Amino acid sequence: MSRMSGFLVFLVALLLVGVAASAKFDELFQPSWALDHFTHEGDLLKLKLDNYSGAGFASKSKYMFGRVSIQLKLVEGDSAGTVTAFYMSSEGSNHNEFDFEFLGNTTGEPYSVQTNLYVNGVGNREQRLNLWFDPAKDFHSYSIFWNQRQVVFLVDETPIRVHTNLEHKGIPFPKDQAMGVYSSIWNADDWATQGGRVKTDWSHAPFVATYKDFEINACECPGTAATADNAKKCSSSEDKKYWWDEPTLSELNVHQSHQLKWVKANHMVYDYCSDTARFPAIPAECLHHRHYRPRH
């Protein structure tokens, strides 16, 4: 979103039904493993990866629809073999999941980010792009916006990926499972850098990812609630209006569409939709997304 449209969405959120929102780690999240690899420095949270362990955290609640964001500064220097992830996921074998995976590099090479999306337990929807800035030099925002019409991945408010609801075409869409919010850093040198050809150099450890400004502006779901109850609770009706159901957020506007085209034209290095070796038949959603038209 543009800064102005983002501000307007914020105002709408204030005027409509209140939802969970915060910027403090301890209010929203808790460590999920390797507590001794966490460091708190004022408002900053640092996660450490060494040759003993990585680390990760998870939201205390689960959510359905809305927006989650973090400010993140990635591992500096030679980070080959490491992966820092920020994602949403439900539970079970038929889970839904939205992934940001930041793939480490050797010094001087561009950082790449891989996104993926699982629906009913099926993933294999990877897209990869080289970021247009050095994400290890400063903090940048990474966000996932989700409603019943679309899932949008954003970097500094620029959309880098959209997954549109195409249920009317017989293609499943993730809209019925509450999801937790997670982040972690771990060693993945079997695949993360140049397909696993470049291994982690542990002489550069510890590898540190730094976080701040955690925000969840979404519909909080009780852990014991049934799926149908969550879907009903988090959808607008006559007596409640949620900001994520506003008509202006049902698809990208023209400016956002142009931003997305710029990203794809200049920074995308891999798209599963174009990988004929993996998918001799083009995945159905790729055929329909290719003909996407922005809202005017």
Side-chain angles (χ1 to χ4, degrees), residues 162-257:
V162 175
H163 186 84
T164 306
N165 187 334
L166 297 170
E167 287 182 308
H168 63 289
K169 299 288 187 179
I171 299 168
F173 182 79
K175 69 172 190 179
D176 60 356
Q177 298 181 36
M179 304 171 81
V181 186
Y182 305 88
S183 188
S184 57
I185 183 171
W186 78 93
N187 178 44
D189 65 4
D190 57 333
W191 65 272
T193 306
Q194 297 182 26
R197 291 188 293 275
V198 181
K199 302 300 182 181
T200 303
D201 183 348
W202 294 109
S203 69
H204 294 291
F207 303 100
V208 178
T210 307
Y211 301 75
K212 68 175 184 177
D213 295 347
F214 303 87
E215 183 177 1
I216 298 178
N217 192 345
C219 186
E220 187 172 352
C221 296
T224 57
T227 295
D229 293 336
N230 284 334
K232 184 177 180 180
K233 174 182 183 293
C234 297
S235 300
S236 295
S237 62
E238 290 184 5
D239 59 341
K240 60 184 179 184
K241 300 293 182 182
Y242 288 122
W243 68 268
W244 52 82
D245 287 330
E246 285 296 292
T248 54
L249 297 175
S250 64
E251 55 188 342
L252 298 187
N253 60 34
V254 171
H255 174 65
Q256 291 170 325
S257 179

XYZ file of all heavy atoms in Angstrom, residues 162-257:
758
model
N 0.664 -11.541 -4.696
C -0.769 -11.580 -4.407
C -1.297 -12.958 -4.773
O -0.988 -13.489 -5.847
C -1.535 -10.500 -5.202
C -3.031 -10.642 -4.962
C -1.072 -9.112 -4.819
N -2.063 -13.527 -3.875
C -2.754 -14.782 -4.164
C -4.245 -14.506 -4.028
O -4.745 -14.237 -2.935
C -2.323 -15.881 -3.195
C -2.884 -17.229 -3.529
N -2.289 -18.061 -4.460
C -3.983 -17.891 -3.078
C -2.996 -19.175 -4.563
N -4.037 -19.088 -3.734
N -4.941 -14.551 -5.151
C -6.342 -14.147 -5.210
C -7.278 -15.335 -4.975
O -6.968 -16.463 -5.358
C -6.643 -13.532 -6.591
O -5.710 -12.488 -6.845
C -8.047 -12.967 -6.647
N -8.406 -15.083 -4.351
C -9.420 -16.112 -4.159
C -10.053 -16.458 -5.507
O -10.723 -15.637 -6.133
C -10.497 -15.614 -3.184
C -11.488 -16.714 -2.814
O -11.692 -17.657 -3.566
N -12.105 -16.577 -1.649
N -9.815 -17.699 -5.939
C -10.363 -18.182 -7.212
C -11.256 -19.410 -6.980
O -11.302 -20.319 -7.803
C -9.224 -18.531 -8.175
C -8.328 -17.360 -8.600
C -7.101 -17.863 -9.350
C -9.118 -16.378 -9.472
N -11.961 -19.392 -5.862
C -12.834 -20.532 -5.559
C -13.897 -20.719 -6.628
O -14.333 -21.848 -6.882
C -13.490 -20.335 -4.195
C -12.544 -20.529 -3.021
C -13.247 -20.362 -1.683
O -13.913 -19.330 -1.483
O -13.129 -21.274 -0.847
N -14.313 -19.627 -7.255
C -15.326 -19.746 -8.310
C -14.781 -20.486 -9.526
O -15.542 -20.911 -10.405
C -15.836 -18.359 -8.723
C -14.786 -17.471 -9.310
N -13.778 -16.911 -8.554
C -14.578 -17.045 -10.586
C -13.000 -16.174 -9.340
N -13.463 -16.252 -10.566
N -13.435 -20.673 -9.570
C -12.799 -21.459 -10.636
C -12.464 -22.869 -10.149
O -11.777 -23.620 -10.837
C -11.516 -20.771 -11.101
C -11.721 -19.377 -11.675
C -12.388 -19.414 -13.040
C -12.418 -18.028 -13.671
N -13.046 -18.034 -15.016
N -12.940 -23.209 -8.945
C -12.672 -24.531 -8.404
C -11.316 -24.676 -7.738
O -10.850 -25.791 -7.495
N -10.669 -23.537 -7.428
C -9.335 -23.551 -6.819
C -9.475 -23.188 -5.341
O -10.020 -22.138 -5.008
C -8.414 -22.545 -7.535
C -8.268 -22.944 -9.014
C -7.059 -22.460 -6.861
C -7.635 -21.889 -9.874
N -9.002 -24.035 -4.430
C -9.187 -23.760 -2.996
C -8.424 -22.521 -2.550
O -7.356 -22.193 -3.085
C -8.659 -25.020 -2.315
C -7.750 -25.651 -3.317
C -8.312 -25.317 -4.662
N -8.997 -21.842 -1.548
C -8.409 -20.620 -1.011
C -8.363 -20.717 0.507
O -9.291 -21.244 1.125
C -9.248 -19.407 -1.429
C -8.697 -18.083 -0.960
C -7.640 -17.478 -1.632
C -9.227 -17.455 0.167
C -7.125 -16.261 -1.208
C -8.724 -16.242 0.602
C -7.665 -15.642 -0.080
N -7.300 -20.236 1.152
C -7.177 -20.362 2.608
C -8.015 -19.340 3.355
O -7.583 -18.223 3.603
C -5.679 -20.115 2.840
C -5.283 -19.206 1.727
C -6.097 -19.627 0.543
N -9.212 -19.731 3.725
C -10.086 -18.776 4.410
C -10.869 -19.387 5.569
O -11.768 -18.754 6.099
C -11.073 -18.152 3.419
C -12.125 -19.110 2.890
C -13.179 -18.356 2.076
C -14.356 -19.247 1.763
N -15.414 -18.555 1.006
N -10.493 -20.588 5.999
C -11.309 -21.252 7.016
C -10.498 -21.814 8.181
O -11.022 -22.574 8.987
C -12.126 -22.383 6.376
C -11.250 -23.441 5.713
O -10.011 -23.248 5.685
O -11.791 -24.447 5.242
N -9.216 -21.443 8.297
C -8.399 -21.940 9.401
C -7.679 -20.777 10.073
O -6.975 -20.012 9.410
C -7.358 -22.954 8.903
C -7.942 -24.209 8.275
C -6.859 -25.175 7.819
O -5.826 -25.305 8.455
N -7.095 -25.842 6.700
N -7.850 -20.656 11.391
C -7.111 -19.641 12.132
C -5.628 -20.003 12.134
O -5.260 -21.179 12.159
C -7.634 -19.552 13.558
N -4.778 -18.972 12.111
C -3.347 -19.195 11.934
C -2.542 -18.492 13.029
O -2.868 -17.380 13.439
C -2.901 -18.683 10.556
C -3.696 -19.304 9.413
S -3.362 -18.535 7.809
C -1.847 -19.379 7.381
N -1.483 -19.150 13.468
C -0.525 -18.514 14.350
C 0.492 -17.729 13.537
O 0.601 -17.895 12.320
N 1.239 -16.858 14.210
C 2.282 -16.051 13.588
C 3.618 -16.499 14.175
O 3.751 -16.626 15.404
C 2.060 -14.554 13.846
C 3.069 -13.720 13.070
C 0.636 -14.149 13.479
N 4.609 -16.721 13.321
C 5.857 -17.334 13.755
C 7.061 -16.644 13.111
O 6.948 -16.035 12.039
C 5.891 -18.822 13.366
C 4.720 -19.625 13.861
C 3.550 -19.731 13.110
C 4.775 -20.287 15.086
C 2.465 -20.471 13.567
C 3.699 -21.035 15.547
C 2.548 -21.125 14.780
O 1.472 -21.853 15.233
N 8.209 -16.800 13.754
C 9.479 -16.438 13.118
C 10.577 -17.318 13.697
O 10.482 -17.765 14.850
C 9.810 -14.960 13.329
O 10.944 -14.596 12.557
N 11.615 -17.549 12.898
C 12.705 -18.408 13.355
C 13.940 -18.179 12.500
O 13.870 -17.608 11.403
C 12.293 -19.885 13.294
O 11.884 -20.238 11.975
N 15.067 -18.597 13.019
C 16.315 -18.607 12.253
C 16.931 -19.986 12.424
O 16.931 -20.541 13.528
C 17.276 -17.482 12.726
C 18.556 -17.467 11.862
C 17.601 -17.585 14.207
C 19.438 -16.251 12.127
N 17.402 -20.568 11.312
C 17.962 -21.915 11.395
C 18.957 -22.146 10.263
O 19.060 -21.349 9.323
C 16.854 -22.965 11.395
C 16.228 -23.273 10.068
C 16.589 -24.258 9.208
C 15.117 -22.605 9.449
N 15.781 -24.247 8.100
C 14.875 -23.246 8.221
C 14.313 -21.523 9.831
C 13.857 -22.837 7.353
C 13.301 -21.129 8.966
C 13.075 -21.780 7.756
N 19.677 -23.245 10.370
C 20.646 -23.624 9.342
C 19.968 -24.471 8.280
O 19.339 -25.477 8.589
C 21.802 -24.416 9.967
C 22.803 -24.868 8.916
O 23.174 -24.105 8.035
N 23.247 -26.115 9.006
N 20.068 -24.034 7.030
C 19.466 -24.785 5.914
C 20.451 -24.850 4.754
O 20.095 -24.626 3.595
C 18.166 -24.123 5.480
N 21.721 -25.162 5.077
C 22.724 -25.103 4.012
C 22.642 -26.272 3.034
O 23.403 -26.352 2.077
C 24.132 -24.971 4.587
C 24.593 -26.175 5.400
O 23.850 -27.174 5.468
O 25.706 -26.101 5.973
N 21.658 -27.163 3.250
C 21.440 -28.213 2.252
C 20.676 -27.694 1.037
O 20.622 -28.369 0.008
C 20.700 -29.401 2.868
C 19.367 -29.019 3.505
O 19.222 -27.856 3.925
O 18.474 -29.887 3.567
N 20.085 -26.458 1.162
C 19.330 -25.941 0.008
C 19.310 -24.425 -0.107
O 19.071 -23.880 -1.191
C 17.881 -26.420 0.047
C 17.081 -25.890 1.211
C 16.979 -26.434 2.444
C 16.293 -24.685 1.261
N 16.172 -25.660 3.257
C 15.738 -24.581 2.552
C 15.995 -23.683 0.317
C 14.906 -23.532 2.940
C 15.164 -22.630 0.707
C 14.633 -22.560 1.997
N 19.586 -23.683 0.966
C 19.247 -22.260 1.004
C 20.088 -21.379 0.086
O 19.578 -20.435 -0.512
C 19.367 -21.745 2.444
N 21.381 -21.638 -0.033
C 22.264 -20.753 -0.803
C 22.799 -21.491 -2.029
O 23.477 -22.510 -1.896
C 23.427 -20.250 0.074
O 22.886 -19.640 1.260
C 24.270 -19.230 -0.670
N 22.453 -20.958 -3.199
C 22.852 -21.567 -4.474
C 22.512 -23.056 -4.501
O 23.316 -23.896 -4.899
C 24.341 -21.336 -4.740
C 24.701 -19.859 -4.899
C 26.165 -19.642 -5.220
O 26.832 -20.520 -5.791
N 26.681 -18.462 -4.887
N 21.302 -23.355 -4.059
C 20.806 -24.723 -4.110
C 21.551 -25.689 -3.209
O 21.505 -26.897 -3.421
N 22.230 -25.148 -2.171
C 22.970 -25.998 -1.242
C 24.435 -26.146 -1.576
O 25.175 -26.816 -0.849
N 24.887 -25.505 -2.664
C 26.302 -25.613 -3.034
C 27.206 -24.839 -2.078
O 28.367 -25.198 -1.886
C 26.517 -25.114 -4.476
C 25.904 -26.021 -5.536
C 26.297 -25.591 -6.935
N 25.726 -24.304 -7.284
C 24.502 -24.152 -7.791
N 23.730 -25.215 -7.966
N 24.040 -22.959 -8.113
N 26.686 -23.758 -1.482
C 27.459 -22.965 -0.532
C 26.994 -23.304 0.874
O 25.830 -23.118 1.216
C 27.288 -21.451 -0.802
C 28.126 -20.640 0.196
C 27.695 -21.119 -2.236
N 27.913 -23.798 1.689
C 27.579 -24.242 3.034
C 27.800 -23.129 4.060
O 28.474 -22.136 3.801
C 28.430 -25.467 3.405
C 28.259 -26.643 2.459
C 26.794 -27.128 2.416
C 26.634 -28.344 1.507
N 25.221 -28.803 1.440
N 27.215 -23.317 5.228
C 27.363 -22.362 6.319
C 28.802 -22.358 6.819
O 29.385 -23.416 7.083
C 26.428 -22.730 7.482
O 25.083 -22.772 6.995
C 26.527 -21.717 8.605
N 29.382 -21.178 6.926
C 30.732 -21.018 7.472
C 30.589 -20.657 8.952
O 30.335 -19.502 9.297
C 31.474 -19.922 6.712
C 32.907 -19.758 7.185
O 33.261 -20.329 8.245
O 33.686 -19.051 6.505
N 30.751 -21.646 9.820
C 30.490 -21.438 11.238
C 31.522 -20.536 11.910
O 31.321 -20.116 13.054
C 30.406 -22.778 11.960
C 29.213 -23.575 11.516
C 29.209 -24.706 10.766
C 27.834 -23.285 11.783
N 27.924 -25.141 10.537
C 27.060 -24.285 11.164
C 27.185 -22.265 12.489
C 25.673 -24.300 11.219
C 25.807 -22.277 12.559
C 25.057 -23.286 11.930
N 32.615 -20.215 11.200
C 33.576 -19.272 11.770
C 32.984 -17.867 11.869
O 33.503 -17.021 12.595
C 34.858 -19.232 10.931
O 34.629 -18.628 9.662
N 31.870 -17.615 11.133
C 31.186 -16.316 11.190
C 30.075 -16.289 12.244
O 29.441 -15.260 12.449
C 30.588 -15.967 9.830
C 31.617 -15.726 8.767
N 32.460 -14.650 8.763
C 31.930 -16.452 7.663
C 33.260 -14.701 7.709
N 32.958 -15.797 7.026
N 29.816 -17.427 12.886
C 28.757 -17.502 13.896
C 29.156 -16.690 15.138
O 30.346 -16.506 15.409
C 28.491 -18.951 14.257
N 28.190 -16.203 15.937
C 26.754 -16.428 15.732
C 26.167 -15.528 14.650
O 26.628 -14.404 14.456
C 26.170 -16.082 17.101
C 27.098 -15.025 17.639
C 28.457 -15.435 17.167
N 25.165 -16.042 13.949
C 24.406 -15.280 12.969
C 23.197 -14.687 13.700
O 22.473 -15.403 14.384
C 23.949 -16.182 11.829
C 25.095 -16.876 11.136
C 25.405 -18.195 11.439
C 25.863 -16.207 10.198
C 26.458 -18.843 10.810
C 26.918 -16.842 9.560
C 27.223 -18.161 9.866
N 22.986 -13.387 13.552
C 21.986 -12.707 14.365
C 20.977 -11.973 13.485
O 21.350 -11.191 12.606
C 22.644 -11.700 15.336
C 21.585 -10.951 16.138
C 23.615 -12.421 16.277
N 19.689 -12.231 13.702
C 18.594 -11.476 13.087
C 17.974 -10.598 14.170
O 17.754 -11.060 15.293
C 17.545 -12.414 12.506
N 17.700 -9.332 13.845
C 17.229 -8.368 14.837
C 15.828 -7.883 14.476
O 15.565 -7.528 13.321
C 18.188 -7.166 14.907
O 19.524 -7.642 15.122
C 17.800 -6.234 16.054
N 14.943 -7.852 15.471
C 13.531 -7.527 15.270
C 13.124 -6.326 16.115
O 13.670 -6.085 17.193
C 12.647 -8.694 15.699
C 12.858 -10.000 15.002
C 13.958 -10.803 15.300
C 11.949 -10.468 14.067
C 14.139 -12.033 14.674
C 12.112 -11.686 13.432
C 13.211 -12.460 13.742
O 13.379 -13.671 13.123
N 12.098 -5.619 15.639
C 11.430 -4.593 16.441
C 10.043 -4.339 15.853
O 9.713 -4.833 14.768
C 12.238 -3.296 16.485
C 12.336 -2.555 15.159
C 13.054 -1.212 15.334
C 13.074 -0.424 14.023
N 13.699 0.912 14.191
N 9.235 -3.563 16.548
C 7.928 -3.100 16.062
C 7.052 -4.246 15.563
O 6.713 -4.339 14.384
C 8.116 -2.054 14.952
C 8.769 -0.786 15.460
O 8.839 -0.618 16.695
O 9.216 0.022 14.635
N 6.678 -5.109 16.481
C 5.784 -6.219 16.158
C 4.348 -5.700 16.132
O 3.926 -4.989 17.037
C 5.910 -7.306 17.216
C 7.306 -7.820 17.384
C 8.196 -7.190 18.251
C 7.747 -8.922 16.682
C 9.487 -7.653 18.418
C 9.042 -9.397 16.829
C 9.912 -8.763 17.703
N 3.607 -6.061 15.108
C 2.227 -5.601 15.023
C 1.328 -6.700 14.482
O 1.635 -7.330 13.459
C 2.108 -4.361 14.139
C 0.684 -3.810 14.082
C 0.571 -2.540 13.263
O 1.589 -2.094 12.717
O -0.550 -2.017 13.169
N 0.238 -6.926 15.178
C -0.819 -7.816 14.697
C -2.121 -7.042 14.779
O -2.556 -6.666 15.862
C -0.900 -9.112 15.519
C 0.393 -9.910 15.405
C -2.089 -9.949 15.049
C 0.410 -11.185 16.235
N -2.700 -6.773 13.630
C -3.971 -6.052 13.553
C -4.937 -6.982 12.837
O -5.129 -6.903 11.620
C -3.782 -4.739 12.791
C -4.982 -3.817 12.941
O -6.051 -4.236 13.366
N -4.799 -2.567 12.575
N -5.493 -7.915 13.613
C -6.219 -9.026 13.009
C -7.268 -9.550 13.975
O -7.350 -9.123 15.119
C -5.235 -10.137 12.640
N -8.058 -10.481 13.499
C -9.148 -11.047 14.286
C -8.628 -12.221 15.115
O -8.232 -13.257 14.571
C -10.268 -11.511 13.361
S -11.741 -12.068 14.239
N -8.631 -12.043 16.423
C -8.123 -13.068 17.332
C -9.158 -14.168 17.515
O -10.345 -13.895 17.726
C -7.765 -12.432 18.669
C -7.068 -13.375 19.631
C -6.560 -12.648 20.864
O -6.619 -11.400 20.895
O -6.118 -13.327 21.804
N -8.692 -15.416 17.439
C -9.605 -16.562 17.520
C -9.293 -17.411 18.742
O -8.133 -17.778 18.968
C -9.472 -17.433 16.270
S -9.956 -16.618 14.752
N -10.292 -17.759 19.532
C -10.069 -18.657 20.668
C -9.547 -20.008 20.188
O -9.991 -20.528 19.160
C -11.464 -18.791 21.294
C -12.234 -17.603 20.784
C -11.681 -17.314 19.428
N -8.624 -20.565 20.930
C -8.019 -21.829 20.512
C -8.987 -22.989 20.474
O -8.767 -23.964 19.754
N -10.065 -22.890 21.237
C -11.017 -23.999 21.311
C -12.188 -23.851 20.343
O -13.026 -24.750 20.239
C -11.585 -24.105 22.733
O -12.190 -22.848 23.090
C -10.467 -24.412 23.729
N -12.243 -22.739 19.625
C -13.399 -22.493 18.756
C -13.364 -23.381 17.518
O -12.304 -23.712 16.993
C -13.428 -21.030 18.336
N -14.538 -23.741 17.047
C -14.643 -24.530 15.824
C -14.348 -23.649 14.613
O -14.498 -22.427 14.663
C -16.048 -25.121 15.707
N -13.925 -24.284 13.534
C -13.559 -23.551 12.326
C -14.693 -22.652 11.842
O -14.491 -21.483 11.522
C -13.175 -24.544 11.214
O -12.000 -25.251 11.618
C -12.881 -23.818 9.909
N -15.897 -23.195 11.797
C -17.041 -22.413 11.309
C -17.303 -21.215 12.205
O -17.661 -20.128 11.729
C -18.271 -23.299 11.219
N -17.105 -21.377 13.514
C -17.310 -20.274 14.448
C -16.296 -19.167 14.216
O -16.620 -17.975 14.274
C -17.227 -20.775 15.887
C -18.374 -21.711 16.250
O -19.428 -21.622 15.600
O -18.201 -22.521 17.176
N -15.043 -19.541 13.964
C -14.008 -18.547 13.696
C -14.315 -17.771 12.425
O -14.183 -16.544 12.380
C -12.646 -19.215 13.573
C -12.065 -19.607 14.917
O -12.392 -19.011 15.936
N -11.205 -20.612 14.915
N -14.705 -18.489 11.378
C -15.005 -17.840 10.112
C -16.143 -16.838 10.272
O -16.101 -15.724 9.729
C -15.341 -18.885 9.051
N -17.152 -17.225 11.032
C -18.293 -16.326 11.260
C -17.884 -15.146 12.123
O -18.244 -13.991 11.851
C -19.427 -17.104 11.915
C -20.699 -16.291 12.121
C -21.811 -17.150 12.714
C -23.084 -16.333 12.909
N -24.179 -17.163 13.484
N -17.102 -15.406 13.162
C -16.683 -14.361 14.092
C -15.846 -13.290 13.393
O -15.929 -12.103 13.726
C -15.858 -14.983 15.224
C -15.226 -13.983 16.187
C -14.397 -14.718 17.234
C -13.810 -13.751 18.250
N -12.805 -12.849 17.671
N -15.045 -13.687 12.420
C -14.071 -12.784 11.811
C -14.518 -12.217 10.469
O -13.721 -11.622 9.740
C -12.733 -13.498 11.655
S -12.015 -13.974 13.246
N -15.773 -12.413 10.127
C -16.319 -11.862 8.889
C -17.328 -10.765 9.215
O -18.066 -10.865 10.192
C -17.010 -12.961 8.075
O -16.114 -13.986 7.742
N -17.360 -9.736 8.404
C -18.283 -8.619 8.633
C -19.724 -9.069 8.458
O -20.028 -9.968 7.671
C -17.973 -7.477 7.665
O -16.694 -6.930 7.919
N -20.614 -8.426 9.214
C -22.042 -8.686 9.102
C -22.772 -7.368 9.329
O -22.156 -6.310 9.407
C -22.469 -9.728 10.137
O -22.241 -9.244 11.450
N -24.076 -7.434 9.441
C -24.858 -6.208 9.612
C -24.499 -5.469 10.902
O -24.556 -4.249 10.968
C -26.353 -6.540 9.591
C -26.873 -6.960 8.222
C -28.374 -7.178 8.231
O -28.997 -6.911 9.283
O -28.923 -7.612 7.201
N -24.132 -6.208 11.929
C -23.889 -5.575 13.229
C -22.405 -5.378 13.540
O -22.057 -4.875 14.606
C -24.540 -6.376 14.349
C -24.031 -7.799 14.416
O -23.473 -8.273 13.412
O -24.185 -8.436 15.477
N -21.535 -5.779 12.636
C -20.109 -5.544 12.857
C -19.420 -5.374 11.506
O -19.743 -6.063 10.533
C -19.464 -6.694 13.633
C -19.558 -8.052 12.940
C -18.994 -9.179 13.797
C -19.130 -10.529 13.078
N -18.687 -11.657 13.902
N -18.478 -4.457 11.456
C -17.755 -4.165 10.222
C -16.264 -4.216 10.493
O -15.756 -3.457 11.316
C -18.133 -2.773 9.681
C -19.613 -2.607 9.351
C -20.034 -3.480 8.184
C -21.502 -3.283 7.835
N -21.937 -4.167 6.739
N -15.587 -5.124 9.836
C -14.144 -5.249 9.997
C -13.414 -4.510 8.873
O -13.840 -4.545 7.715
C -13.730 -6.719 9.986
C -14.127 -7.474 11.229
C -14.927 -8.603 11.155
C -13.687 -7.058 12.483
C -15.278 -9.311 12.301
C -14.038 -7.753 13.633
C -14.828 -8.879 13.537
O -15.181 -9.563 14.670
N -12.289 -3.901 9.224
C -11.587 -3.074 8.237
C -11.081 -3.882 7.054
O -11.041 -3.380 5.931
C -10.440 -2.308 8.916
C -9.294 -3.154 9.411
C -9.142 -3.688 10.646
C -8.132 -3.537 8.665
N -7.970 -4.382 10.738
C -7.332 -4.305 9.537
C -7.690 -3.309 7.367
C -6.108 -4.850 9.143
C -6.476 -3.850 6.967
C -5.697 -4.605 7.847
N -10.713 -5.145 7.271
C -10.172 -5.940 6.162
C -11.233 -6.341 5.150
O -10.893 -6.795 4.057
C -9.458 -7.176 6.684
C -10.259 -8.009 7.633
C -11.208 -8.952 7.318
C -10.198 -7.961 9.060
N -11.749 -9.493 8.451
C -11.136 -8.916 9.549
C -9.453 -7.233 9.971
C -11.344 -9.138 10.896
C -9.655 -7.460 11.325
C -10.586 -8.402 11.775
N -12.509 -6.153 5.487
C -13.579 -6.454 4.534
C -14.029 -5.229 3.748
O -14.997 -5.314 2.977
C -14.789 -7.053 5.264
C -14.540 -8.481 5.721
O -13.755 -9.186 5.045
O -15.103 -8.892 6.754
N -13.356 -4.095 3.947
C -13.695 -2.904 3.169
C -13.534 -3.194 1.669
O -12.560 -3.831 1.264
C -12.800 -1.732 3.574
C -13.155 -1.116 4.914
C -14.540 -0.486 4.869
O -14.719 0.526 4.164
O -15.443 -1.004 5.540
N -14.474 -2.728 0.832
C -14.390 -3.001 -0.614
C -13.062 -2.574 -1.238
O -12.568 -3.225 -2.163
C -15.562 -2.199 -1.184
C -16.545 -2.116 -0.058
C -15.716 -2.016 1.195
N -12.467 -1.487 -0.724
C -11.201 -1.009 -1.304
C -10.052 -1.981 -1.068
O -9.007 -1.865 -1.700
C -10.827 0.357 -0.721
O -10.828 0.260 0.710
C -11.798 1.436 -1.160
N -10.246 -2.950 -0.169
C -9.191 -3.911 0.117
C -9.468 -5.284 -0.485
O -8.817 -6.262 -0.150
C -9.009 -4.039 1.637
C -8.548 -2.769 2.349
C -8.514 -2.978 3.857
C -7.174 -2.335 1.850
N -10.423 -5.348 -1.393
C -10.752 -6.625 -2.014
C -9.768 -7.011 -3.113
O -9.690 -8.166 -3.510
C -12.179 -6.593 -2.574
O -12.277 -5.630 -3.618
N -9.007 -6.029 -3.598
C -7.976 -6.281 -4.598
C -7.017 -5.098 -4.603
O -7.272 -4.077 -3.977
C -8.595 -6.486 -5.980
C -9.490 -5.352 -6.435
C -10.239 -5.683 -7.711
O -9.830 -6.619 -8.422
O -11.237 -5.016 -8.004
N -5.914 -5.239 -5.317
C -4.946 -4.154 -5.378
C -5.525 -2.954 -6.124
O -6.309 -3.119 -7.061
C -3.669 -4.604 -6.094
C -2.855 -5.746 -5.477
C -1.558 -5.913 -6.249
C -2.602 -5.535 -4.008
N -5.109 -1.751 -5.714
C -5.464 -0.587 -6.522
C -4.454 -0.435 -7.663
O -3.509 -1.229 -7.790
C -5.557 0.678 -5.652
C -4.251 1.017 -4.956
O -3.163 0.800 -5.484
N -4.355 1.569 -3.749
N -4.617 0.554 -8.503
C -3.769 0.696 -9.689
C -2.310 0.912 -9.299
O -1.397 0.297 -9.874
C -4.276 1.850 -10.577
C -3.280 2.140 -11.696
C -5.637 1.493 -11.179
N -2.061 1.776 -8.303
C -0.690 2.036 -7.876
C -0.023 0.762 -7.364
O 1.130 0.452 -7.721
C -0.684 3.119 -6.798
C 0.662 3.360 -6.198
N 1.714 3.870 -6.935
C 1.137 3.162 -4.937
C 2.778 3.979 -6.151
N 2.452 3.552 -4.942
N -0.724 -0.006 -6.546
C -0.165 -1.244 -6.023
C 0.087 -2.258 -7.134
O 1.087 -2.983 -7.117
C -1.120 -1.837 -4.988
C -1.220 -1.021 -3.713
C -2.356 -1.509 -2.829
O -3.414 -1.934 -3.321
N -2.136 -1.467 -1.529
N -0.821 -2.287 -8.109
C -0.647 -3.193 -9.238
C 0.612 -2.849 -10.022
O 1.369 -3.730 -10.441
C -1.873 -3.134 -10.151
O -1.716 -3.989 -11.254
